[in-house]
């Protein structure tokens, strides 16, 4: 598969052939030779090139003239200048016009090959960085899947089995259940883990740009296409492409995507040739695709093509046993990030969170933990630090002006703590170490309880 095109321009036929023979050893690179600099100028305007290698002194247009042409009309082409008559002025002018490098004749074949390889490698890196920047709008949510419920253990088992294969996978689940996390786990535990993992949110890309994003485009393919762009399927070749929210794709693009997935070949918008892609497809959706197919909103042939192995992620309300472990994980992680590692959650608050319905699933739980850590004034997160909608569903706010069960229980617990701490300090003459030892709690915890209730040990001395 060719992914780089190099145009070599030199009026000396012998030098042109030497350069061609030297550079044809580079993999995935199309080498084109041109002895007429005027003809080369026309080809620069009309065709796509990744690199121009040009002699400086030539009849007709010089190498510097071609460099100016690239600078004015095709600025995305890299340029390597070569000359048998080096001068400081020509070197400075070449670099000012954007030449990537400058070689002096005579040079060894390895010197030319090394310079061209370096320029093309840097070009590939720039293209990859541009693609990666397009993927940064939706970062990876959290670092590992967590769960001990039967439903999640079944998911873990399926992920482990399917990761060892190369089949396409469909992940279905409500928003916030961790579909991208499962897709990443499939990728990182499989044979493609050293290659790119490319997530694309099918519902976030404007419809008129979808085809270009998936398959790429050639320079001049449409208004604003000033340079060739590699598509996401091509960039993901060798690795995994996550089609997130695949159910949002318009029906006309579904047909083109089906063909690309079936044949593992793509054609850039405005291009004439097809490009082979070796990519694993993982599709994810929060829609019921069976229902979408029945209503002709999703192509049945595409559905059956991506639905080789299906993983259904349970909503958090159906795996409440996992909430304590998720709470501990998020609390430790975000407390460390916020510099609040002394923060802990009291039992009542944890019980309320464990009984909440979580319509936003794990993502909502994650955000609630962040909010509590950011807003809680004390080192202990209590029910009062929970969002109002969670307290209300649990009955913590009461009805008709009356306190709810949790409020009443917390008031009774606080009254007991104040009496108990005061009695301990009175018995031990205000000695915190002795009182903490009698209560069988760490001295630091005892101090936090005293601060919580505004109790001063010195009031109990003498």
């Amino acid at each position: 598969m060719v992914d780089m095109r190099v145009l070599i321009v030199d009026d000396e036929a012998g030098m042109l052939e030497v350069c061609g023979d030297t550079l044809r050893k580079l993999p995935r690179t199309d080498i084109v030779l041109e002895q007429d600099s005027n003809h080369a100028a026309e080809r620069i305007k009309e065709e796509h090139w990744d690199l121009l290698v040009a002699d400086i002194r030539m009849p007709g247009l010089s190498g510097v003239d071609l460099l100016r042409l690239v600078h004015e009309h095709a600025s995305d082409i890299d340029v390597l200048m070569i000359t048998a008559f080096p001068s400081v002025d020509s070197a400075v002018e070449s670099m000012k016009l954007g030449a990537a490098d400058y070689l002096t004749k005579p040079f060894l074949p390895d010197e030319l090959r090394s310079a061209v390889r370096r320029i093309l490698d840097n070009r590939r890196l720039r293209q990859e960085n541009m693609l990666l920047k397009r993927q940064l709008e939706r970062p990876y949510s959290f670092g590992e899947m967590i769960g001990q419920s039967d439903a999640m253990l079944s998911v873990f088992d399926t992920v482990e089995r399917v990761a060892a294969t190369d089949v396409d996978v469909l992940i279905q689940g409500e928003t916030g259940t961790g579909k991208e996390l499962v897709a990443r786990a499939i990728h990182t535990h499989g044979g493609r883990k050293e290659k790119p993992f490319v997530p694309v949110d099918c519902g976030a890309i404007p419809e008129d740009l979808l085809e270009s994003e998936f398959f790429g485009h050639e320079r001049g393919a449409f208004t604003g296409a000033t340079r060739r762009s590699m598509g996401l399927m091509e960039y993901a070749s060798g690795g995994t492409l996550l089609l997130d929210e695949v159910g949002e794709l318009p029906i006309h693009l579904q047909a083109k995507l089906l063909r690309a997935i079936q044949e593992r070949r793509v054609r850039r918008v405005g291009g004439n040739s097809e490009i082979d892609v070796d990519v694993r497809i993982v599709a994810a959706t929060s829609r019921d695709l069976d229902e979408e197919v029945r209503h002709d909103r999703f192509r049945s042939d595409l559905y059956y093509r991506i639905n080789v192995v299906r993983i259904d992620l349970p909503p958090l309300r159906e795996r409440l046993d996992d909430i304590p472990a998720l709470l501990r994980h998020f609390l430790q992680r975000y407390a460390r990030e916020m510099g609040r590692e002394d923060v802990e959650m009291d039992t009542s608050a944890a019980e309320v969170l464990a009984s909440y319905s979580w319509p936003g699933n794990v993502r909502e739980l994650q955000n609630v933990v962040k909010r509590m850590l950011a807003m809680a004034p004390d080192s202990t997160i209590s029910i009062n630090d929970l969002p109002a909608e969670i307290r209300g569903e649990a009955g913590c706010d009461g009805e008709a002006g009356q306190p709810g069960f949790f409020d009443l229980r917390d008031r009774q617990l606080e009254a007991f703590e104040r009496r108990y701490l005061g009695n301990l300090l009175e018995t031990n003459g205000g000695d915190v170490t002795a009182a903490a030892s009698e209560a069988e709690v760490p001295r630091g915890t005892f101090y936090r309880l005293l601060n919580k209730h505004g109790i001063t040990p010195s009031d109990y001395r003498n």
Side-chain angles (χ1 to χ4, degrees), residues 143-202:
E144 57 182 356
M145 290 188 292
I146 295 174
Q148 57 188 13
S149 62
D150 291 341
M152 286 307 295
L153 291 178
S154 177
V155 169
F156 297 160
D157 180 65
T158 304
V159 168
E160 184 177 6
R161 290 171 182 269
V162 78
T165 71
D166 210 27
V167 300
D168 296 337
V169 181
L170 174 63
I171 305 169
Q172 289 201 161
E174 295 178 6
T175 299
T177 50
K179 296 184 290 294
E180 183 176 332
L181 186 63
V182 173
R184 286 183 181 273
I186 292 171
H187 175 75
T188 56
H189 289 81
R192 297 173 177 265
K193 61 183 177 182
E194 302 300 329
K195 298 296 183 178
F197 175 84
V198 182
V200 51
D201 189 339
C202 300

Side-chain angles (χ1 to χ4, degrees), residues 248-261:
E248 304 296 326
L249 284 175
I251 201 76
H252 72 273
L253 188 64
Q254 292 176 23
K256 296 182 179 181
L257 181 62
L258 172 64
R259 181 177 179 275
I261 293 175

Side-chain angles (χ1 to χ4, degrees), residues 382-442:
S382 67
I383 287 180
N384 293 331
D385 299 313
L386 303 183
E389 64 272 16
I390 295 179
R391 294 199 314 269
E393 183 177 304
C396 302
D397 293 333
E399 296 181 4
Q402 298 298 316
F405 166 76
F406 287 105
D407 278 341
L408 285 172
R409 188 184 66 177
D410 284 346
R411 292 178 190 181
Q412 293 292 332
L413 181 60
E414 288 181 3
F416 162 76
E417 286 180 354
R418 282 194 296 271
R419 288 195 305 271
Y420 181 71
L421 294 171
N423 290 336
L424 279 175
L425 287 173
E426 188 171 352
T427 301
N428 291 279
D431 187 334
V432 174
T433 301
S437 177
E438 184 176 339
E440 297 182 354
V441 297

